[in-house]
Amino acid sequence: MPAGINFNLNGNEMLYTGSPEARLLDVLRDEYRMTGTKCGCREGECGACSVIIDGKLANSCLVAMGSIDGSGVTTIEGYSKTARFAALDKAYESVSAVQCGFCIPGMILASECILAATPHPTEDEIRTGISGNLCRCTGYNAIVKAIGIAAEEGDGLW
Amino acid sequence: MVGSERLPDAQSNQPASGSVTAGSLDEALKLRKENPGLIPYAGGTDLMIEGRADAAYLFLGKVPEMKRIAQDDEFIRFGAACTFSQLICSAHTPGILRDACLQIAAPAIRNMGSIGGNIGNGSPKADSALIFMATNSMLRLVSADSERILPIRKFYLGRKKLDLAPDELIVEVLMPIHGIDNYYYKKVGGRRALAISRVAFAGIMDVRDGIICNCAAAFGSIGDVIVCLDEIDRMLVGKSVEEASALKEAYIDAYNMAIVPVAGRVSADYRKQVCMNLLRDFLESNHI
C-alpha cells in the first residue's frame, strides 16, 4: 500500500497513510478523534460502532482501513449536520428514546439506513433494520416509535 | 468535528504492512501467486473479529469480477465477494439462499460479509455454505495458471481444512438453477438476530410427476464440517412419494446412526435431537 488509502470522510477527502489492517473504528476514535462512533464489543455483536460506508450500514470494528480505499464513510459527526438528523433527533427526543445514549450514534445511523431504503417502513422493517444495534436501556419500543415518527414528521426528507 | 473542516491525515506509528488491494481479478491472482501468505479479505466480518496484528490481507472487496451475479442455462454464478445484502436484493437469488441470507447476523454484517468469506472461513456454522452444500453447488477456483470447478461437497477436508491451493482464490459459486425450488430451511439459534446457528438444516426435495428426482439433506453446526450424506439421500431418489413413505423410518434411522454431533454451547444430545426433529419435519412437509 505505498500511496496510502484515499477515502471520503463526512465529505472530506482523506489520505490515510497508517496500517491498512487497522480497524476503521480505532482510526476514527484514536487518530481522527471522532469519538461519536462508540466501541462496544469489537466483534460485530452490538452495533455501537455503526457507520455508513457507501450508503450501507457497517460495523466499523470489522472494517480494515485497506478495504475502504475509494469509499465514502459517514459517521455521526458528519450526519449530525443534516436535516435528516434533525428530524430523527426531534423524533427520538419526543418519545424519550435515549437513556444512557451509548447505542444512539449507531442507532441513528441505522435509522437513516432504514428510512433511506424505505421512507415509510412497517414496524417489522424498523425492527429488522435495528436488529444489529443493541440497546440495554430502552427495551427498543421507544426507538421503534421514534423512527416511525421521523418517517411521518420528516416526510419528504427520505 | 465540523463537516467542512479539512481533517488532518492520520499517521500511524505501526510498521509498514504487507497488505495489498486488488483492483481486478488478474491482479488479485498475480498478488496471490507472489504472496501466498496473504489472507484473502472480501468483507472482513470474520477476519476482523480475530484482527490479528501480524495479518497481511489481500483486499478483494472491490474486484469487479468477484462482485457479479449472472445466470446461464444451468447455473446462477455468484461472485465470491458478493455480500449477503447483494444476494438478498438480487432477482437471481433462489428462495432457499435468500431465506438463509436474511437470517445471517444483522443488516450491517450482511452489508459487508461475503459468500466467499463464509465458504473460505471453513466454519461448519457458515449459513450460506450450508445452502451451497444442500444444493450441490460448485466452486470456481482460479489461480494465475489454472482454473478448476470443484463441487463444494468436496471442498471441506476437515475442520478448517480446505481443498484450496495456496495460489488459488474462490472466484465464483455456481448454484444449480433447476430442481431447488422445493426446499426446507431452518436455522436454530439463541435469538432472532445476530445468532450463531446451534443447528442449521437445509433440505431439497425435487419431485417430478410423483417421483423423487433429488433428495438432499445438509446439517450445519454439528461437527467439524457441514454434513451431507449422499449415500443415505439416494435411498429416496427414484421412488414415488408413497414408496418413500415406506422407507421413511429406515432413512431417518440411517441418519440417526450416521450423525454424531459434538458438544459446543449446546450439548451433543440436544444437537442430535434437533437434527432428527428437523429431518422428520422435512420429510413430513413433503408428505413423506
Side-chain angles (χ1 to χ4, degrees):
Chain A
M1 296 261 175
I5 293 150
N6 292 286
F7 71 109
N8 188 292
L9 178 60
N10 296 327
N12 299 296
E13 291 304 324
M14 309 294 286
L15 174 67
Y16 169 80
T17 55
S19 165
E21 300 87 26
R23 292 170 199 267
L24 173 59
L25 168 66
D26 295 338
V27 173
L28 290 172
R29 288 182 60 83
D30 301 340
E31 301 201 30
Y32 295 135
R33 301 291 173 192
M34 300 176 84
T35 53
T37 305
K38 302 303 178 196
C39 176
C41 67
R42 293 176 76 83
E43 54 181 24
E45 287 276 339
C46 76
C49 69
S50 297
V51 298
I52 298 174
I53 301 178
D54 297 332
K56 295 185 190 313
L57 195 69
N59 299 109
S60 62
C61 70
L62 298 183
V63 174
M65 288 305 294
S67 71
I68 60 162
D69 197 18
S71 289
V73 178
T74 302
T75 69
I76 194 66
E77 286 87 351
Y79 187 67
S80 63
K81 314 293 177 206
T82 65
R84 289 178 173 189
F85 171 83
L88 279 165
D89 187 32
K90 194 173 164 197
Y92 270 63
E93 189 183 335
S94 72
V95 289
S96 300
V98 180
Q99 290 187 31
C100 90
F102 192 81
C103 71
I104 294 300
M107 203 64 88
I108 290 287
L109 293 175
S111 307
E112 158 61 24
C113 290
I114 293 167
L115 295 172
T118 314
H120 293 284
T122 63
E123 183 180 332
D124 268 1
E125 286 167 335
I126 294 173
R127 288 187 184 275
T128 299
I130 60 168
S131 61
N133 294 77
L134 304 189
C135 171
R136 300 292 80 171
C137 303
T138 65
Y140 302 102
N141 288 340
I143 291 171
V144 172
K145 207 169 168 184
I147 297 169
I149 291 169
E152 295 308 315
E153 302 291 318
D155 196 17
L157 286 173
W158 285 279
Chain B
M1 187 63 63
V2 178
S4 59
E5 206 176 316
R6 173 78 195 182
L7 297 170
D9 295 340
Q11 297 294 329
S12 170
N13 52 12
Q14 297 182 45
S17 75
S19 291
V20 283
T21 299
S24 69
L25 182 58
D26 281 348
E27 191 184 1
L29 296 172
K30 186 168 173 281
L31 289 164
R32 177 82 161 144
K33 186 179 180 181
E34 289 167 358
N35 310 278
L38 292 176
I39 301 167
Y41 178 121
T45 52
D46 279 323
L47 294 174
M48 293 302 288
I49 291 174
E50 200 179 349
R52 278 171 32 201
D54 61 342
Y57 300 117
L58 172 55
F59 293 110
L60 300 167
K62 290 178 177 165
V63 172
E65 296 92 332
M66 294 174 73
K67 296 291 289 179
R68 287 182 194 145
I69 301 175
Q71 189 169 322
D72 58 28
D73 293 341
E74 225 180 322
F75 297 107
I76 308 145
R77 307 171 77 100
F78 294 105
C82 287
T83 64
F84 302 117
S85 293
Q86 231 183 311
L87 266 58
I88 289 165
C89 292
S90 170
H92 293 294
T93 303
I96 185 171
L97 184 57
R98 178 176 285 111
D99 279 6
C101 289
L102 281 167
Q103 291 185 52
I104 291 175
I109 303 279
R110 296 197 285 267
N111 287 340
M112 307 299 286
S114 72
I115 53 168
N118 202 224
I119 293 167
N121 189 43
S123 168
K125 301 179 181 187
D127 290 317
S128 73
L130 176 83
I131 304 305
F132 295 127
M133 291 283 280
T135 55
N136 206 3
S137 297
M138 311 282 189
L139 304 179
R140 189 160 81 91
L141 307 174
V142 187
S143 73
D145 307 313
S146 66
E147 175 171 335
R148 62 189 172 120
I149 305 284
L150 182 74
I152 190 170
R153 291 183 184 178
K154 293 188 174 171
F155 186 62
Y156 296 110
L157 307 175
R159 186 169 190 83
K160 299 255 178 187
K161 286 187 186 155
L162 313 177
D163 181 358
L164 186 73
D167 63 345
E168 281 180 325
L169 288 172
I170 306 167
V171 170
E172 276 185 324
V173 183
L174 280 58
M175 191 171 185
I177 292 171
H178 305 293
I180 61 169
D181 292 339
N182 185 33
Y183 65 88
Y184 178 103
Y185 174 67
K186 286 270 164 60
K187 169 174 173 166
V188 179
R191 52 192 179 188
R192 280 181 62 189
L194 293 167
I196 294 171
S197 296
R198 289 175 175 170
V199 172
F201 176 88
I204 298 282
M205 189 69 75
D206 183 22
V207 183
R208 293 180 209 181
D209 301 325
I211 302 296
I212 297 168
C213 300
N214 182 29
C215 168
F219 300 84
S221 277
I222 62 166
D224 287 346
V225 293
I226 295 166
V227 173
C228 274
L229 297 168
D230 190 44
E231 62 276 20
I232 297 179
D233 292 333
R234 276 202 301 267
M235 287 171 69
L236 304 186
V237 175
K239 305 290 190 294
S240 68
V241 172
E242 291 71 27
E243 289 167 334
S245 296
L247 290 166
K248 175 180 174 182
E249 294 307 323
Y251 176 83
I252 290 173
D253 283 349
Y255 266 113
N256 197 30
M257 295 284 285
I259 287 186
V260 186
V262 295
R265 291 187 187 186
V266 293
S267 72
D269 285 348
Y270 170 84
R271 283 201 165 119
K272 181 68 172 279
Q273 189 62 56
V274 171
C275 286
M276 291 302 112
N277 291 350
L278 292 173
L279 186 65
R280 186 173 288 276
D281 196 40
F282 163 55
L283 295 178
E284 290 177 357
S285 71
N286 283 291
H287 313 292
I288 292 170

